[in-house]
Amino acid sequence: MRRKELIIINWSGILVFVNWFVFIYMLTIVIVYGFMLFISLLQIRRRYELDNVEPYEELLQSEYTKPVSILVPAYNESVGIYGTIRSLISIEYPEYEIIIINDGSKDDTLEKLISKFNLVKVNRVIRKQLDTKEIKGVYQSEIYSNLIVLDKENGGKADALNAGINLSKYPYFCSLDGDSIIERNAFLKVLKPIIESDDEVIASGGSVRIANGCDIQNGDLISVGLSNKPIVVMQVIEYLRAFLTGRIGLSKNNLLLIVSGAFGVFSKKWVIEAGGYAHTVGEDMELVVRLHRLNKEKKQNKKIVYVPDPVCWTEAPEDLKFLRRQRKRWHKGLFDSLWKHKKLMFNPRYGSIGLFSMPYFFFIEFLGPLIELIGYISLVVSIFAGKIYFEYAIMFFLLSLIYGSIYSMAAVLLEEWSMERYPKVKHFTILFLVSLTETFWYRPLTVIWRVEGMVEMLLGKKGWGEMVRKGVSND
C-alpha cells in the first residue's frame, strides 16, 4: 500500500514540477515579447513621422540611389507570375532589372511569359560565381528591355536565386516570391536604409502582408481588403504581430536573423562572399545568419535591418491542409538554420548574435511550441488525474491569453495607430475582434503543426510540401 502511495506522490510531484516549469517559461516569453512590443511602439512611430517629413520620392532624384536587380524564382507560378511582373514593371525606382528564373516549371509558366511579354532568346554572358544547375537559355522582352527570363533545370529555390545572382549586373539584388505584389514605392522604402548608410547596411527586409481579399488588377493594388475566411484573417493578424512587434524590436539592435524570402534586398558582394543561398528548407534565414557570422568574423560593423512599412502583398493559404504544411516547413527551416550555425550559440566571439539572437530563436521561437503543448497536456492530465490545480489553470490561461490574443490585439492597434493600412472601420473591427479569439482555436492549431514539424525533422523527413496557389491578381 505504501509503495502505491509513493508512486502516486512521485507522479504528483512530477506534475507540479512540469506545471511550474511551463508557467515560468510562458511568463518569460510574455515579458520578452512585451519588451519587444514596447520598443516597436517607440520605433515605428518615430520612423513613420520622420518619413512623412522626408518623403521617399526625393530619393528618385538622388545621385546616391543604388540600382537593383530583382530576382523572382518561379516554379509552377503560372497563376500569379503575370501579376507579379506587372507590379514590378510599374514600380517607382530610377534603375533596375527584373530577372525571372524559371526553375524547371512543369506548368506553362515559361510559355505564358514568352507570350505575354514578347520574349526572345538572347546570348548573355553569365558570370558563374555560384554553382547552379544547367542553364537552358536566357530570354529578353522586346517590350520591356529590363525584363529578362532565365530558363534552367530544376534545382530548388536556393539554386534558382544563385543562378539569378550570377546573371545579375547590379551591386544589390532583391529576392521576391513569384506570387507577390509590390507597391509602387516599395523599393524606395526598402532601399532607403541602404542608400543612407553608405554601404553600412548589407541587407534590408520589408513588411509582408496578406493579399487575399484585396482588389488587385493587373499587378496594381487597387484597394486593401480582408478575406471572408477566418483562417486567412487570423494569418493577417499573425503577420502584423510578427512584423510590427518581433522584427522591429530585433532590428533595433542589429539582432535580426530573418529577412523574409518574400521581399528582401541584399548586397550581392556580401552574399557571394558568404557562398550564396544554401540548399535548405529555410534558405532565407540561413543566409542572414551566415551574413551575420561573416560580418563578425571579418570584425566589421555591417547591419541587417527591417523596414516596417508594408510594401509586399502575398497570397496566404486558404486551406488548413496547406497552412499546416507551411507551418511545419517554417519550423523545420528554423531548426535547420540554427543547427547549421550552432557554433554561434552563446559564443561571445559573435557578440549579441551569439549571446542573444541565437538563444532567443532556439529557446523561444523553436522550443516554444513544444513547451506550450506540454502545458496544454499537463493541464488536461491534472484534471483527469483528480488533481485540478485551479491556480495553475488560471495562470496558464491568462498567460496564453496575453501571449496569443492580447499581443495580437496590440499589433492590430499598432497597425491602426501608425500605418493605417486598413482604413475601413469594418476591417479594423473584424481584425480586433478576431485577434481576441486566437488563444481558443488558432494558436493551439499552429502549436500542434509546429511540433509536428519538429517530429518530422527528428524522423529525417525533409522537403517543402506542395502548395497550391489561386493567384491574387485579376489579370
Side-chain angles (χ1 to χ4, degrees):
M1 189 70 172
R2 290 180 180 176
R3 187 176 179 183
K4 186 176 180 181
E5 289 176 356
L6 182 61
I7 293 174
I8 293 174
I9 291 172
N10 287 341
W11 275 111
S12 178
I14 291 173
L15 205 55
V16 170
F17 173 78
V18 170
N19 288 347
W20 276 106
F21 173 77
V22 172
F23 171 73
I24 294 172
Y25 180 88
M26 292 288 289
L27 181 61
T28 302
I29 289 182
V30 167
I31 293 173
V32 170
Y33 269 93
F35 179 69
M36 292 172 65
L37 178 63
F38 177 72
I39 293 177
S40 299
L41 187 147
L42 298 178
Q43 282 293 111
I44 197 170
R45 192 62 184 180
R46 186 181 305 148
R47 181 185 292 270
Y48 192 67
E49 289 174 350
L50 285 175
D51 287 338
N52 279 342
V53 174
E54 183 183 3
Y56 289 111
E57 283 70 18
E58 291 183 7
L59 295 176
L60 281 171
Q61 284 76 43
S62 173
E63 61 183 28
Y64 300 107
T65 302
K66 313 284 187 180
V68 63
S69 300
I70 304 171
L71 311 182
V72 185
Y75 176 71
N76 294 344
E77 295 285 358
S78 175
V79 174
I81 193 66
Y82 178 75
T84 298
I85 295 176
R86 290 297 309 175
S87 73
L88 292 175
I89 288 171
S90 59
I91 64 172
E92 297 176 354
Y93 202 77
E95 189 175 3
Y96 65 97
E97 63 177 352
I98 305 167
I99 301 177
I100 311 298
I101 307 102
N102 180 47
D103 190 41
S105 296
K106 296 178 181 178
D107 64 4
D108 65 339
T109 297
L110 181 61
E111 290 73 19
K112 176 177 282 190
L113 292 173
I114 292 173
S115 171
K116 294 281 189 179
F117 298 101
N118 289 3
L119 299 180
V120 295
K121 204 164 188 177
V122 295
N123 292 320
R124 180 84 176 256
V125 176
I126 301 177
R127 188 180 178 188
K128 196 168 185 179
Q129 302 174 87
L130 302 169
D131 289 332
T132 68
K133 292 286 187 178
E134 183 182 345
I135 306 302
K136 296 180 180 179
V138 179
Y139 299 81
Q140 187 169 9
S141 172
E142 292 185 318
I143 306 173
Y144 308 101
S145 60
N146 62 339
L147 174 60
I148 300 164
V149 174
L150 179 64
D151 186 30
K152 62 181 289 293
E153 290 184 354
N154 179 259
K157 185 177 179 181
D159 192 80
L161 286 169
N162 287 339
I165 292 172
N166 287 339
L167 181 64
S168 64
K169 65 180 181 180
Y170 293 133
Y172 286 85
F173 72 88
C174 167
S175 61
L176 186 69
D177 281 351
D179 61 338
S180 300
I181 299 298
I182 298 296
E183 293 184 0
R184 288 182 180 274
N185 60 356
F187 285 92
L188 291 174
K189 291 180 178 181
V190 81
L191 277 154
K192 184 180 179 183
I194 293 175
I195 296 169
E196 296 179 341
S197 73
D198 192 24
D199 295 330
E200 183 183 14
V201 175
I202 59 174
S204 175
S207 288
V208 179
R209 296 295 176 85
I210 303 299
N212 307 52
C214 296
D215 183 12
I216 298 173
Q217 303 287 342
N218 293 322
D220 284 334
L221 180 67
I222 306 301
S223 63
V224 176
L226 280 179
S227 170
N228 57 6
K229 298 184 177 182
I231 194 71
V232 176
V233 175
M234 200 63 251
Q235 289 177 77
V236 172
I237 297 167
E238 189 179 28
Y239 273 53
L240 288 176
R241 184 178 65 189
F243 283 94
L244 293 184
T245 59
R247 298 196 183 183
I248 291 179
L250 292 170
S251 176
K252 166 68 176 174
N253 296 297
N254 199 26
L255 297 171
L256 192 65
L257 293 189
I258 298 178
V259 170
S260 176
F263 187 53
V265 174
F266 298 87
S267 165
K268 185 168 72 173
K269 179 183 71 174
W270 273 80
V271 170
I272 291 173
E273 188 174 352
Y277 285 90
H279 298 274
T280 179
V281 177
E283 74 286 324
D284 45 0
M285 177 179 178
E286 197 279 332
L287 174 62
V288 174
V289 177
R290 197 151 17 94
L291 288 172
H292 274 298
R293 183 172 182 170
L294 180 62
N295 179 41
K296 295 297 182 181
E297 290 174 351
K298 293 181 69 174
K299 297 182 179 180
Q300 297 199 25
N301 192 32
K302 301 299 183 180
K303 295 181 179 179
I304 296 174
V305 303
Y306 163 71
V307 181
D309 296 299
V311 293
C312 176
W313 298 83
T314 191
E315 181 180 359
E318 296 186 347
D319 188 286
L320 286 176
K321 178 176 69 174
F322 296 114
L323 181 60
R324 176 185 170 214
R325 288 180 183 176
Q326 183 191 66
R327 298 315 156 93
K328 289 195 298 180
R329 182 180 74 239
W330 284 0
H331 213 62
K332 285 188 280 188
L334 170 62
F335 179 77
D336 201 28
S337 298
L338 294 173
W339 181 254
K340 282 179 180 293
H341 300 280
K342 56 184 179 293
K343 175 184 176 183
L344 278 65
M345 190 80 71
F346 297 116
N347 191 335
R349 179 188 178 190
Y350 297 96
S352 55
I353 296 297
L355 298 176
F356 181 81
S357 286
M358 292 291 286
Y360 164 80
F361 275 93
F362 180 74
F363 290 105
I364 293 183
E365 295 294 340
F366 178 70
L367 291 182
L370 177 62
I371 296 177
E372 193 172 343
L373 181 60
I374 291 173
Y376 294 137
I377 295 172
S378 176
L379 185 61
V380 173
V381 170
S382 297
I383 295 173
F384 281 95
K387 302 287 184 180
I388 306 178
Y389 301 101
F390 287 105
E391 296 86 355
Y392 168 74
I394 292 172
M395 290 188 297
F396 181 78
F397 173 75
L398 289 176
L399 288 176
S400 297
L401 187 66
I402 294 172
Y403 183 35
S405 295
I406 303 302
Y407 282 169
S408 292
M409 180 188 69
V412 172
L413 291 172
L414 184 59
E415 150 71 27
E416 175 62 21
W417 178 53
S418 59
M419 301 293 187
E420 298 180 352
R421 302 300 297 180
Y422 295 91
K424 293 185 179 179
V425 175
K426 173 186 174 183
H427 293 158
F428 172 73
T429 303
I430 291 173
L431 288 171
F432 185 82
L433 293 177
V434 172
S435 68
L436 293 176
T437 71
E438 180 177 355
T439 300
F440 303 99
W441 66 284
Y442 185 75
R443 181 152 193 87
L445 279 177
T446 57
V447 164
I448 292 171
W449 293 335
R450 290 164 73 185
V451 172
E452 277 188 78
M454 295 174 72
V455 173
E456 289 186 3
M457 176 198 63
L458 292 174
L459 295 176
K461 295 182 180 179
K462 297 183 179 181
W464 283 84
E466 184 182 356
M467 301 295 289
V468 175
R469 305 189 188 279
K470 298 180 179 178
V472 295
S473 178
N474 297 319
D475 301 333

